[in-house]
Amino acid sequence: QVQLVESGGGLVQVGGSLRLSCAASRRILGLNAMGWYRQAPGKQRELVATIGSGGTTNYADSVKGRFTISRDNAKNTVFLQMSVLKPEDAALYYCYVQTVWMGSSSDYWGQGTQVTVSS
């Protein structure tokens, strides 16, 4: 079983920056897409950004131009650089990893890291 451990969350002022990291507990075979989702209180979990195995990225419209996702395949790690943070970015951020191995696909989620944006 793969465990994902997020870090880098915290309290930041409006307009500030944070960098989230998510590392797998062990080497992942068939590592495919990686990404970040978030969930604010009373709202559904939503996609923030994903990055494919080849580096193709996808962002929610609300974060385009402010957030950057990247990955280090050798370390099974995905990052989310967040800049110009807004109050509406405050949420619990979850790391996501998809694997495709031997014809089977699996999804893994981290426990979440809290991002709080103060005005």
Side-chain angles (χ1 to χ4, degrees):
Q1 185 74 0
V2 175
Q3 289 185 327
L4 303 176
V5 180
E6 299 111 331
S7 61
L11 174 64
V12 64
Q13 291 186 329
V14 169
S17 299
L18 281 175
R19 187 180 191 233
L20 305 183
S21 299
C22 172
S25 57
R26 61 171 178 80
R27 182 186 175 194
I28 300 176
L29 296 176
L31 184 61
N32 195 30
M34 306 178 81
W36 293 90
Y37 285 69
R38 67 187 181 188
Q39 187 169 17
K43 295 187 177 181
Q44 289 188 332
R45 188 175 297 191
E46 63 176 2
L47 178 146
V48 176
T50 62
I51 182 167
S53 57
T56 300
T57 57
N58 179 48
Y59 295 93
D61 288 342
S62 60
V63 307
K64 283 181 180 177
R66 301 187 297 120
F67 290 11
T68 301
I69 189 170
S70 60
R71 60 192 283 170
D72 183 336
N73 290 328
K75 296 182 179 180
N76 293 324
T77 302
V78 61
F79 306 95
L80 185 69
Q81 178 65 48
M82 305 185 294
S83 303
V84 194
L85 283 160
K86 303 176 180 180
E88 53 264 41
D89 294 319
L92 191 60
Y93 283 70
Y94 295 93
C95 171
Y96 160 78
V97 167
Q98 182 195 61
T99 65
V100 179
W101 183 253
M102 301 293 283
S104 178
S105 176
S106 298
D107 296 338
Y108 300 94
W109 293 88
Q111 293 299 306
T113 185
Q114 184 69 45
V115 172
T116 303
V117 183
S118 65
S119 56

